[in-house]
Each structure stands twice: as C-alpha cells, then as structure tokens.
C-alpha cells in the first residue's frame, strides 16, 4: 500500500534524468559527481554464489529441512523453538556459515562504489556476510536482519568468542555461554526479535542520498521494504532484479534493469566505464588458485603418495649430494621394496557429504 501511495505522490515530479535509462543515469552520475549512494539488497545477490533463498519450492532452505523433523520449517529461526531445541539451527548454520561461499560480482560492485568514495551506506537483509568478505567495511554496512559476524548468549547477552563459535559450528554442535552456560546464538534476527538498533538509527539516511541502487530483493519484508521510499523525490533509483518489485518504476527517475543480477551489474559497470576495475575487484575475492587445485584434486592413494615421496627424495638427493644415477636407482628400488611391504590400499571414502540433502542443487557444484 505504501508503495502505491508513493507512486501516486511522485507522478508529477519533474524528472531529473533525461530518460529512465541506464545511459541517462550514467550521465547524471558523471555530471552531478554523485557521491552519496545508498544500496539496498536481499537474498538475490547471493544466489549465484550458491546460497539458496528461503522459500523457493524445490531449492529453498525451507523446502529441504524435512530431515530435521520440524513441525514448521520456519521453526528453525524461531527464538522460542531455539530455546527448546537449538540443534536444527546449528545443523543449518554449518551450511550458511561465512567462509564457504565466494562473494558475487554484485557484492564486489558495492566494494567498488566504496573504493571510489561513493558509498554512503549498504543496507542488506542478508545474513551471509558476503559484503564483508568482498571488502566492504563493516561501518558502511547495515545488516538489517543481523548476521553471523558476532554471537552472544541468549540469556545474559555476553558475547561469545569467534574462534570457539567457528569450532562449534564446524561440528554442528551447540555452544554454551562461558559465563552462565546459556545457549549461544549468532546475532541473526529470529522471528520474535527486534531489528538491530543500527537499522533504526540509519533508516532516514536514504533521504540524503543522491542515488539509490536496489538489488536482489522482493521488497516484501518490512520495515526494510520501505527504505527505497525514503529516498527524496528526484533522487534516481536503480533496480537490478529479476522482476519489478516494491513499486519501483513508479517514479519518473526510476531505472529498471530487469533480468539476472550478475548480468545487470556488469551492464551497468560497462556503461560507467568501470568494467575492468569491477572484474579486478571481484578477482580479489577469488580463493587462492593453489588451494582450489588441492581441494578439487582427487584423494591420493597410498601408492601415489609413496611415488610422490620417491620423487621428492630423489630430487632432494640429486640436488644436495649430486649422487649418481646408479645410487638414485638404488634409492628407488629401496623405496619400491618399502612400498611392496605396505599394507593394502586404504579406501579413500569421504565422510564430508555435509547437508547435500538440504541443498540438493549444491551437490552438483564444486567450490
Ligand atoms: P526474497 O524474498 O527471496 O527475494 C529475492 C529477490 O531476488 C526476488 O525478487 C528474486 O526474483 C530475485 N533474484 C533471486 N536471484 C536472482 C538473480 N540471480 N538475478 C536476479 N534476481 C534474482 O529475498 P529478500 O532478501 O527480499 O527477503 C528477505 C529475507 C530473505 C531476509 O530476511 C533474508 O535474511 C533472507 N535470506 C537471506 C539469505 C542470505 O543471507 N543470503 C538467504 C536466504 C534468505
């Protein structure tokens, strides 16, 4: 309803943009030396990283929680349910915990805005911390629904150490407060909990922005959904999303880039002449290629490990002592004998299937 009202209210506004197009928006940004951009995002900017949204019928988190024996899937984020049984949440937390996913090009676009001194504030509904991982400083981010970045006791509210939390989440076990033994929970806003103070303190900020960019949100969850309406009439607003949402497109200076977010962001960056910089900023989020190779390499058999050791020893011998080929051969033979005496090959079964049944679409992805 609020969206319709703002649409009607703004119909007579004299447009600031020459046309509601990306090119006209880029012209405005350059000519007006735009420096106060507010960004508002939701789950859609993280889906290409491999993080599912909540409610999609097949791939959504809620659709895949049956194994946890919950009466209602939403219970996993219900504070009263958590008090009685925190285990389902911690089973899920292991999958969502920061560090498992790479930021997307949309997260890096926000980082680039910051690098250029143009980011006023980044408002996110996401709890995945990918904007932090992309390098956007914490003081520029308003995590409206909280995040995994910090955690505390749900009773005495004392903070719990990050390293301990990480260990517990990795084991899908429930941490308890070091002071009062109460349950520890990440500072994610559960149903029945208030939004962070920071959100309320900054919720009028969009009124002082000179550009608003909305990405990857259905703008259905309040009070976050009302943020774009807080932008002053005459402040251009860009929506990059699969479909039109929240009445955006109703103001004369609204620009819509409908379709895939990654493509939309790249298109916008190209129009701004920032394409190469953006790709470079995104590349910084790329995990070390060597680590990736090691992660993706099939497990070595005992024979392969022994062969590697033979090669290493041989190279070492050659390098340090300059021994003859004959001696190298004897070393190889000796190691060959050792190998022959080794017990049979062990099977290299992996127990790390994790929660593939929770995120079936991830089972086909290698990260
Ligand atoms: P939503 O209601 O699921 O809306 C997402 C929007 O993004 C929809 O309009 C989609 O069409 C659109 N979208 C999704 N993927 C793409 C894509 N690749 N290209 C273009 N458009 C796309 O999500 P909201 O964030 O609006 O809902 C708010 C909830 C979801 C918040 O409470 C979040 O905490 C919660 N959530 C967060 C995460 C996360 O942290 N990554 C994951 C799942 C849910």
């Amino acid at each position: 309803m609020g969206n319709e009202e703002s649409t009607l209210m703004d119909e007579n506004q004299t447009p600031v943009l020459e046309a509601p197009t990306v090119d006209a928006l880029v012209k405005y940004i350059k000519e007006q030396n735009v420096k106060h951009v507010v960004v508002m995002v939701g789950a859609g900017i993280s889906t290409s990283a491999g993080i599912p949204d909540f409610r999609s019928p097949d791939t959504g988190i809620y659709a895949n929680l049956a194994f946890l024996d919950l009466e209602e899937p939403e219970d996993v984020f219900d504070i009263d349910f958590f008090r009685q049984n925190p285990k389902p949440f911690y089973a899920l937390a292991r999958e969502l915990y920061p560090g498992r996913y790479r930021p997307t090009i949309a997260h890096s676009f926000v980082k680039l805005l910051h690098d250029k001194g143009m980011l006023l504030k980044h408002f996110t509904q996401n709890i995945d911390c990918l904007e932090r991982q992309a390098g956007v400083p914490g003081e520029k981010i308003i995590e409206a629904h909280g995040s995994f970045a910090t955690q505390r006791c749900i009773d005495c509210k004392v903070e719990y150490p990050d390293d301990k939390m990480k260990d517990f989440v990795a084991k899908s076990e429930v941490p308890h407060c070091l002071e009062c033994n109460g349950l520890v929970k990440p500072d994610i806003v559960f149903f029945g909990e208030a939004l962070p103070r920071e959100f309320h303190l900054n919720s009028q900020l969009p009124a002082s922005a000179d550009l608003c960019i909305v990405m990857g949100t259905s703008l259905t969850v309040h009070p976050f959904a009302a943020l774009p309406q807080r932008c002053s009439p005459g402040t251009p607003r860009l929506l990059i999303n699969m479909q039109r949402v929240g009445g955006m497109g109703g103001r004369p200076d609204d620009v819509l880039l409908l379709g895939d977010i990654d493509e939309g962001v790249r298109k916008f960056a190209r129009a701004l002449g920032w394409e190469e910089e953006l790709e470079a900023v995104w590349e910084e989020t790329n995990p070390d290629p060597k680590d990736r190779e090691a992660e993706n390499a099939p497990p070595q058999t005992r024979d392969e490990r022994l062969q590697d050791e033979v090669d290493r020893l041989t190279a070492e011998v050659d390098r340090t002592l300059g021994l003859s080929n004959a001696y190298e051969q004897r070393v190889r033979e000796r190691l060959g004998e050792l190998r022959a005496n080794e017990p049979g090959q062990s099977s290299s079964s992996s127990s790390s299937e994790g929660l593939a049944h929770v995120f079936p679409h991830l089972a086909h992805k290698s990260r």
Side-chain angles (χ1 to χ4, degrees):
M1 196 181 75
N3 294 330
E4 286 159 22
E5 275 171 8
S6 85
T7 302
L8 290 175
M9 185 183 75
D10 300 319
E11 248 171 18
N12 299 322
Q13 177 73 33
T14 312
V16 168
L17 301 181
E18 286 174 6
T21 63
V22 170
D23 287 346
L25 183 61
V26 167
K27 193 170 177 220
Y28 163 84
I29 292 168
K30 306 265 183 201
E31 287 181 0
Q32 299 301 316
N33 193 21
V34 161
K35 281 271 181 287
H36 305 285
V37 183
V38 283
V39 182
M40 301 160 187
V41 302
I45 70 160
S46 296
T47 52
S48 71
I51 304 179
D53 60 17
F54 280 168
R55 290 187 174 80
S56 291
D58 297 322
T59 56
I61 293 171
Y62 287 153
N64 289 284
L65 288 176
F67 79 105
L68 292 176
D69 283 338
L70 301 170
E71 269 181 35
E72 297 292 337
E74 284 86 346
D75 283 349
V76 78
F77 294 108
D78 183 288
I79 191 65
D80 295 330
F81 182 90
F82 181 84
R83 276 183 187 280
Q84 292 160 22
N85 181 10
K87 285 186 184 163
F89 171 77
Y90 275 98
L92 190 61
R94 184 165 169 270
E95 285 302 311
L96 292 176
Y97 205 65
R100 295 177 67 95
Y101 303 93
R102 178 184 173 185
T104 67
I105 198 97
H107 296 100
S108 292
F109 184 82
V110 183
K111 165 71 162 57
L112 186 57
L113 283 174
H114 168 70
D115 290 349
K116 290 179 176 292
M118 294 168 69
L119 184 66
L120 180 60
K121 226 39 147 185
H122 175 75
F123 293 86
T124 181
Q125 295 166 92
N126 296 342
I127 56 177
D128 54 32
C129 294
L130 285 183
E131 31 276 285
R132 289 174 188 258
Q133 212 176 305
V136 182
E139 68 268 17
K140 289 281 175 166
I141 305 172
I142 302 295
E143 287 160 331
H145 298 165
S147 82
F148 279 104
T150 52
Q151 53 281 320
R152 68 195 66 244
C153 172
I154 60 171
D155 293 322
C156 73
K157 309 294 178 201
V158 167
E159 275 205 44
Y160 189 77
D162 293 346
D163 52 344
K164 283 194 168 30
M165 183 69 177
K166 213 171 171 181
D167 290 346
F168 273 92
V169 170
K171 293 181 283 181
S172 292
E173 287 177 6
V174 182
H176 285 83
C177 178
L178 303 174
E179 305 286 326
C180 75
N181 206 37
L183 289 170
V184 171
K185 178 180 87 57
D187 291 334
I188 290 169
V189 179
F190 274 28
F191 298 120
E193 291 188 313
L195 264 56
R197 208 169 147 257
E198 283 294 300
F199 175 81
H200 298 291
L201 289 176
N202 288 279
S203 62
Q204 298 302 327
L205 212 52
S208 53
D210 47 18
L211 173 64
C212 170
I213 301 175
V214 179
M215 300 189 280
T217 171
S218 57
L219 288 181
T220 48
V221 180
H222 284 269
F224 191 99
L227 285 177
Q229 296 168 46
R230 301 249 163 93
C231 294
S232 309
T235 297
R237 304 185 305 176
L238 169 66
L239 173 70
I240 307 179
N241 205 52
M242 197 58 80
Q243 64 283 102
R244 201 181 148 183
V245 291
M248 290 205 52
R251 293 188 184 184
D253 293 306
D254 283 352
V255 177
L256 305 180
L257 247 176
L258 302 185
D260 179 73
I261 289 175
D262 293 0
E263 279 175 26
V265 164
R266 285 194 163 99
K267 187 175 175 189
F268 187 39
R270 206 175 309 128
L272 285 159
W274 297 356
E275 200 179 13
E276 276 181 24
E277 280 173 279
L278 176 61
E279 296 296 340
V281 169
W282 191 48
E283 188 53 30
E284 284 167 23
T285 68
N286 198 354
D288 186 293
K290 276 194 232 116
D291 289 352
R292 241 191 3 261
E293 272 168 32
E295 260 175 39
N296 295 335
Q300 282 189 312
T301 63
R302 188 178 292 272
D303 268 0
E304 286 165 346
R305 282 202 304 277
L306 266 169
Q307 185 60 52
D308 280 357
E309 188 62 7
V310 167
D311 293 342
R312 192 188 66 76
L313 279 172
T314 306
E316 186 68 8
V317 165
D318 274 344
R319 189 177 63 78
T320 55
L321 298 176
L323 292 180
S324 67
N325 285 344
Y327 187 78
E328 178 191 326
Q329 187 56 33
R330 286 208 299 282
V331 172
R332 284 188 180 278
E333 281 167 11
R334 177 71 189 118
L335 287 164
E337 284 164 24
L338 284 174
R339 183 168 39 182
N341 292 335
E342 283 287 335
Q345 277 182 24
S346 65
S347 75
S348 56
S349 76
S350 160
S351 62
S352 60
E353 284 176 3
L355 297 185
H357 51 304
V358 183
F359 302 117
H361 64 297
L362 293 185
H364 309 294
K365 293 192 179 199
S366 60
R367 277 185 288 114

Short mmCIF file of all heavy atoms in Angstrom, two decimals, residues 41-48 51-56 61 96 124-130 145 215-221 240-243 245 259-262, ligand 1:
data_model
loop_
_atom_site.label_atom_id
_atom_site.label_comp_id
_atom_site.label_asym_id
_atom_site.label_seq_id
_atom_site.Cartn_x
_atom_site.Cartn_y
_atom_site.Cartn_z
N VAL A 41 19.90 -4.37 -0.55
CA VAL A 41 19.95 -5.68 -1.20
C VAL A 41 19.26 -6.77 -0.38
O VAL A 41 18.98 -6.61 0.81
CB VAL A 41 21.41 -6.12 -1.46
CG1 VAL A 41 22.15 -5.11 -2.33
CG2 VAL A 41 22.17 -6.36 -0.15
N GLY A 42 19.03 -7.91 -1.07
CA GLY A 42 18.46 -9.08 -0.41
C GLY A 42 19.06 -10.37 -0.96
O GLY A 42 20.08 -10.33 -1.68
N ALA A 43 18.40 -11.47 -0.66
CA ALA A 43 18.94 -12.80 -0.95
C ALA A 43 19.36 -12.99 -2.41
O ALA A 43 20.25 -13.79 -2.70
CB ALA A 43 17.91 -13.86 -0.56
N GLY A 44 18.73 -12.24 -3.33
CA GLY A 44 19.01 -12.42 -4.75
C GLY A 44 20.45 -12.10 -5.16
O GLY A 44 20.92 -12.62 -6.17
N ILE A 45 21.17 -11.29 -4.37
CA ILE A 45 22.55 -11.00 -4.79
C ILE A 45 23.49 -12.14 -4.38
O ILE A 45 24.66 -12.13 -4.76
CB ILE A 45 23.10 -9.63 -4.29
CG1 ILE A 45 23.35 -9.61 -2.78
CG2 ILE A 45 22.25 -8.48 -4.74
CD1 ILE A 45 24.32 -8.48 -2.39
N SER A 46 23.00 -13.08 -3.61
CA SER A 46 23.87 -14.18 -3.17
C SER A 46 23.52 -15.51 -3.83
O SER A 46 24.23 -16.50 -3.63
CB SER A 46 23.79 -14.35 -1.64
OG SER A 46 24.29 -13.21 -0.99
N THR A 47 22.44 -15.56 -4.62
CA THR A 47 22.05 -16.87 -5.16
C THR A 47 23.09 -17.41 -6.14
O THR A 47 23.34 -18.61 -6.18
CB THR A 47 20.66 -16.83 -5.83
OG1 THR A 47 20.63 -15.77 -6.79
CG2 THR A 47 19.55 -16.63 -4.83
N SER A 48 23.75 -16.52 -6.89
CA SER A 48 24.75 -17.05 -7.84
C SER A 48 26.02 -17.49 -7.11
O SER A 48 26.89 -18.13 -7.71
CB SER A 48 25.06 -16.04 -8.95
OG SER A 48 25.80 -14.95 -8.45
N ILE A 51 24.09 -19.76 -2.55
CA ILE A 51 23.28 -19.74 -1.33
C ILE A 51 21.80 -19.66 -1.73
O ILE A 51 21.39 -18.70 -2.38
CB ILE A 51 23.63 -18.53 -0.44
CG1 ILE A 51 25.12 -18.56 -0.11
CG2 ILE A 51 22.79 -18.54 0.84
CD1 ILE A 51 25.59 -17.39 0.74
N PRO A 52 21.04 -20.68 -1.38
CA PRO A 52 19.63 -20.66 -1.79
C PRO A 52 18.84 -19.61 -1.04
O PRO A 52 19.26 -19.16 0.04
CB PRO A 52 19.14 -22.06 -1.42
CG PRO A 52 20.07 -22.55 -0.37
CD PRO A 52 21.38 -21.84 -0.54
N ASP A 53 17.71 -19.22 -1.59
CA ASP A 53 16.83 -18.34 -0.82
C ASP A 53 16.01 -19.22 0.14
O ASP A 53 16.22 -20.42 0.24
CB ASP A 53 15.95 -17.47 -1.73
CG ASP A 53 15.07 -18.31 -2.64
OD1 ASP A 53 14.88 -19.50 -2.35
OD2 ASP A 53 14.56 -17.76 -3.64
N PHE A 54 15.07 -18.62 0.85
CA PHE A 54 14.33 -19.40 1.85
C PHE A 54 13.16 -20.19 1.25
O PHE A 54 12.93 -21.32 1.62
CB PHE A 54 13.77 -18.47 2.93
CG PHE A 54 14.79 -18.06 3.95
CD1 PHE A 54 14.50 -17.03 4.84
CD2 PHE A 54 16.00 -18.68 4.05
CE1 PHE A 54 15.42 -16.65 5.80
CE2 PHE A 54 16.93 -18.31 5.00
CZ PHE A 54 16.64 -17.28 5.88
N ARG A 55 12.42 -19.55 0.33
CA ARG A 55 11.09 -20.09 0.05
C ARG A 55 10.90 -20.71 -1.34
O ARG A 55 9.80 -21.11 -1.68
CB ARG A 55 10.04 -19.00 0.27
CG ARG A 55 9.89 -18.65 1.74
CD ARG A 55 8.75 -17.70 2.01
NE ARG A 55 8.56 -17.53 3.43
CZ ARG A 55 9.29 -16.73 4.20
NH1 ARG A 55 10.25 -16.01 3.67
NH2 ARG A 55 9.05 -16.64 5.49
N SER A 56 11.94 -20.81 -2.14
CA SER A 56 11.75 -21.45 -3.45
C SER A 56 11.28 -22.88 -3.24
O SER A 56 11.78 -23.58 -2.36
CB SER A 56 13.05 -21.45 -4.25
OG SER A 56 13.36 -20.14 -4.63
N ILE A 61 15.66 -23.17 1.28
CA ILE A 61 16.06 -23.79 2.54
C ILE A 61 14.86 -24.46 3.22
O ILE A 61 14.94 -25.59 3.68
CB ILE A 61 16.69 -22.72 3.46
CG1 ILE A 61 18.01 -22.25 2.85
CG2 ILE A 61 16.91 -23.26 4.86
CD1 ILE A 61 18.63 -21.06 3.55
N LEU A 96 25.46 -22.42 6.22
CA LEU A 96 25.38 -20.99 5.86
C LEU A 96 26.56 -20.18 6.38
O LEU A 96 26.72 -19.02 6.03
CB LEU A 96 24.09 -20.38 6.45
CG LEU A 96 22.77 -20.86 5.86
CD1 LEU A 96 21.60 -20.24 6.62
CD2 LEU A 96 22.68 -20.50 4.39
N THR A 124 21.64 -4.31 3.96
CA THR A 124 21.43 -5.69 3.48
C THR A 124 20.47 -6.44 4.40
O THR A 124 20.49 -6.25 5.62
CB THR A 124 22.76 -6.46 3.37
OG1 THR A 124 22.50 -7.78 2.88
CG2 THR A 124 23.50 -6.55 4.70
N GLN A 125 19.66 -7.31 3.75
CA GLN A 125 18.81 -8.22 4.54
C GLN A 125 19.51 -9.55 4.72
O GLN A 125 19.00 -10.43 5.40
CB GLN A 125 17.49 -8.46 3.79
CG GLN A 125 16.65 -7.21 3.67
CD GLN A 125 15.54 -7.40 2.64
OE1 GLN A 125 14.42 -7.80 2.98
NE2 GLN A 125 15.82 -7.11 1.39
N ASN A 126 20.66 -9.70 4.08
CA ASN A 126 21.33 -11.00 4.09
C ASN A 126 22.12 -11.21 5.38
O ASN A 126 22.62 -10.27 5.98
CB ASN A 126 22.24 -11.13 2.87
CG ASN A 126 21.43 -11.11 1.58
OD1 ASN A 126 20.22 -11.33 1.61
ND2 ASN A 126 22.07 -10.82 0.48
N ILE A 127 22.26 -12.50 5.70
CA ILE A 127 22.98 -12.87 6.92
C ILE A 127 24.28 -13.57 6.59
O ILE A 127 24.95 -14.11 7.46
CB ILE A 127 22.09 -13.78 7.81
CG1 ILE A 127 21.63 -15.03 7.02
CG2 ILE A 127 20.89 -13.01 8.32
CD1 ILE A 127 20.81 -16.01 7.85
N ASP A 128 24.64 -13.57 5.31
CA ASP A 128 25.77 -14.40 4.87
C ASP A 128 27.13 -13.70 4.96
O ASP A 128 28.17 -14.32 4.70
CB ASP A 128 25.53 -14.90 3.44
CG ASP A 128 25.23 -13.77 2.46
OD1 ASP A 128 25.76 -12.65 2.64
OD2 ASP A 128 24.47 -14.01 1.50
N CYS A 129 27.13 -12.41 5.28
CA CYS A 129 28.39 -11.64 5.45
C CYS A 129 29.20 -11.51 4.16
O CYS A 129 30.39 -11.18 4.21
CB CYS A 129 29.29 -12.25 6.52
SG CYS A 129 28.62 -12.19 8.18
N LEU A 130 28.59 -11.78 3.00
CA LEU A 130 29.40 -11.75 1.77
C LEU A 130 29.85 -10.35 1.39
O LEU A 130 30.86 -10.19 0.72
CB LEU A 130 28.64 -12.41 0.61
CG LEU A 130 28.59 -13.94 0.66
CD1 LEU A 130 27.89 -14.51 -0.58
CD2 LEU A 130 29.98 -14.55 0.78
N HIS A 145 18.93 -7.64 9.22
CA HIS A 145 18.45 -8.85 9.87
C HIS A 145 19.57 -9.56 10.62
O HIS A 145 19.52 -10.76 10.85
CB HIS A 145 17.79 -9.78 8.85
CG HIS A 145 16.58 -9.16 8.19
ND1 HIS A 145 16.00 -9.63 7.05
CD2 HIS A 145 15.84 -8.05 8.53
CE1 HIS A 145 14.96 -8.87 6.72
NE2 HIS A 145 14.85 -7.90 7.59
N MET A 215 18.97 -4.13 -5.24
CA MET A 215 19.31 -5.36 -5.98
C MET A 215 18.87 -6.60 -5.21
O MET A 215 19.05 -6.69 -3.99
CB MET A 215 20.84 -5.47 -6.15
CG MET A 215 21.50 -4.36 -6.90
SD MET A 215 23.25 -4.73 -7.27
CE MET A 215 24.05 -4.33 -5.72
N GLY A 216 18.29 -7.56 -5.94
CA GLY A 216 18.08 -8.90 -5.40
C GLY A 216 17.16 -9.01 -4.21
O GLY A 216 17.40 -9.83 -3.32
N THR A 217 16.13 -8.21 -4.18
CA THR A 217 15.16 -8.33 -3.08
C THR A 217 13.75 -8.22 -3.62
O THR A 217 13.50 -7.49 -4.58
CB THR A 217 15.40 -7.26 -1.99
OG1 THR A 217 14.29 -7.29 -1.06
CG2 THR A 217 15.54 -5.86 -2.56
N SER A 218 12.84 -8.96 -2.98
CA SER A 218 11.43 -8.87 -3.37
C SER A 218 10.76 -7.68 -2.70
O SER A 218 9.59 -7.40 -2.98
CB SER A 218 10.71 -10.17 -2.98
OG SER A 218 10.85 -10.39 -1.58
N LEU A 219 11.48 -6.99 -1.82
CA LEU A 219 10.94 -5.84 -1.07
C LEU A 219 9.58 -6.19 -0.45
O LEU A 219 8.61 -5.47 -0.60
CB LEU A 219 10.83 -4.60 -1.96
CG LEU A 219 12.15 -3.92 -2.33
CD1 LEU A 219 11.90 -2.68 -3.20
CD2 LEU A 219 12.96 -3.48 -1.09
N THR A 220 9.56 -7.35 0.21
CA THR A 220 8.31 -7.76 0.86
C THR A 220 8.44 -7.77 2.39
O THR A 220 7.43 -7.85 3.09
CB THR A 220 7.88 -9.18 0.41
OG1 THR A 220 9.00 -10.05 0.51
CG2 THR A 220 7.36 -9.18 -1.01
N VAL A 221 9.67 -7.77 2.90
CA VAL A 221 9.84 -7.87 4.35
C VAL A 221 9.99 -6.47 4.94
O VAL A 221 10.92 -5.73 4.58
CB VAL A 221 11.07 -8.74 4.69
CG1 VAL A 221 11.26 -8.84 6.20
CG2 VAL A 221 10.92 -10.14 4.09
N ILE A 240 18.01 -3.46 -9.93
CA ILE A 240 18.57 -4.58 -10.69
C ILE A 240 18.00 -5.85 -10.07
O ILE A 240 18.36 -6.24 -8.95
CB ILE A 240 20.12 -4.60 -10.63
CG1 ILE A 240 20.71 -3.24 -11.03
CG2 ILE A 240 20.67 -5.70 -11.53
CD1 ILE A 240 22.23 -3.17 -10.99
N ASN A 241 17.08 -6.48 -10.76
CA ASN A 241 16.36 -7.63 -10.19
C ASN A 241 15.67 -8.41 -11.30
O ASN A 241 15.46 -7.87 -12.40
CB ASN A 241 15.31 -7.15 -9.18
CG ASN A 241 14.96 -8.21 -8.15
OD1 ASN A 241 15.84 -8.77 -7.51
ND2 ASN A 241 13.68 -8.50 -7.99
N MET A 242 15.31 -9.65 -10.98
CA MET A 242 14.64 -10.47 -11.98
C MET A 242 13.31 -9.85 -12.40
O MET A 242 12.93 -9.89 -13.56
CB MET A 242 14.40 -11.88 -11.40
CG MET A 242 14.08 -12.93 -12.44
SD MET A 242 15.38 -13.06 -13.68
CE MET A 242 16.58 -14.06 -12.83
N GLN A 243 12.59 -9.30 -11.43
CA GLN A 243 11.31 -8.69 -11.77
C GLN A 243 11.15 -7.37 -11.02
O GLN A 243 11.89 -7.08 -10.09
CB GLN A 243 10.12 -9.62 -11.48
CG GLN A 243 9.89 -9.98 -10.02
CD GLN A 243 10.82 -11.00 -9.49
OE1 GLN A 243 11.76 -10.66 -8.80
NE2 GLN A 243 10.60 -12.27 -9.80
N VAL A 245 9.75 -4.86 -8.45
CA VAL A 245 9.29 -5.09 -7.07
C VAL A 245 9.05 -3.75 -6.36
O VAL A 245 9.59 -2.71 -6.75
CB VAL A 245 10.33 -5.89 -6.25
CG1 VAL A 245 10.45 -7.32 -6.73
CG2 VAL A 245 11.70 -5.21 -6.25
N GLY A 259 16.24 -8.72 -15.02
CA GLY A 259 16.94 -9.92 -15.51
C GLY A 259 17.92 -10.39 -14.45
O GLY A 259 17.81 -10.04 -13.28
N ASP A 260 18.88 -11.18 -14.90
CA ASP A 260 19.88 -11.73 -13.99
C ASP A 260 20.73 -10.61 -13.37
O ASP A 260 21.16 -9.68 -14.06
CB ASP A 260 20.77 -12.70 -14.77
CG ASP A 260 21.86 -13.29 -13.89
OD1 ASP A 260 21.52 -14.12 -13.04
OD2 ASP A 260 23.02 -12.88 -14.03
N ILE A 261 20.98 -10.72 -12.07
CA ILE A 261 21.67 -9.64 -11.36
C ILE A 261 23.13 -9.50 -11.82
O ILE A 261 23.60 -8.39 -12.08
CB ILE A 261 21.64 -9.88 -9.84
CG1 ILE A 261 20.21 -9.66 -9.35
CG2 ILE A 261 22.59 -8.93 -9.11
CD1 ILE A 261 20.00 -9.96 -7.91
N ASP A 262 23.82 -10.60 -11.93
CA ASP A 262 25.24 -10.52 -12.34
C ASP A 262 25.35 -9.82 -13.70
O ASP A 262 26.21 -8.97 -13.91
CB ASP A 262 25.87 -11.92 -12.42
CG ASP A 262 25.97 -12.58 -11.05
OD1 ASP A 262 25.56 -11.95 -10.06
OD2 ASP A 262 26.47 -13.72 -10.96
P1 LIG B 1 13.47 -12.87 -1.48
O1 LIG B 1 12.12 -12.52 -0.97
O2 LIG B 1 13.80 -14.32 -1.65
O3 LIG B 1 13.65 -12.09 -2.88
C1 LIG B 1 14.78 -12.28 -3.67
C2 LIG B 1 14.59 -11.48 -4.96
O4 LIG B 1 15.76 -11.63 -5.72
C3 LIG B 1 13.42 -11.97 -5.81
O5 LIG B 1 12.76 -10.87 -6.38
C4 LIG B 1 14.11 -12.81 -6.89
O6 LIG B 1 13.41 -12.84 -8.10
C5 LIG B 1 15.40 -12.06 -7.03
N1 LIG B 1 16.50 -12.89 -7.51
C6 LIG B 1 16.99 -14.01 -6.94
N2 LIG B 1 18.06 -14.45 -7.63
C7 LIG B 1 18.22 -13.58 -8.66
C8 LIG B 1 19.14 -13.50 -9.72
N3 LIG B 1 20.14 -14.37 -9.86
N4 LIG B 1 19.02 -12.49 -10.62
C9 LIG B 1 18.01 -11.58 -10.49
N5 LIG B 1 17.12 -11.59 -9.49
C10 LIG B 1 17.23 -12.59 -8.59
O7 LIG B 1 14.64 -12.27 -0.60
P2 LIG B 1 14.65 -10.96 0.27
O8 LIG B 1 16.04 -10.74 0.67
O9 LIG B 1 13.90 -9.87 -0.36
O10 LIG B 1 13.81 -11.48 1.53
C11 LIG B 1 14.18 -11.15 2.73
C12 LIG B 1 14.65 -12.32 3.63
C13 LIG B 1 15.41 -13.44 2.94
C14 LIG B 1 15.63 -11.77 4.57
O11 LIG B 1 15.15 -11.96 5.86
C15 LIG B 1 16.94 -12.55 4.42
O12 LIG B 1 17.59 -12.70 5.64
C16 LIG B 1 16.51 -13.84 3.90
N6 LIG B 1 17.56 -14.67 3.24
C17 LIG B 1 18.87 -14.33 3.23
C18 LIG B 1 19.81 -15.15 2.63
C19 LIG B 1 21.25 -14.77 2.64
O13 LIG B 1 21.76 -14.25 3.62
N7 LIG B 1 21.94 -14.98 1.53
C20 LIG B 1 19.41 -16.33 2.03
C21 LIG B 1 18.06 -16.67 2.06
C22 LIG B 1 17.14 -15.83 2.66
#
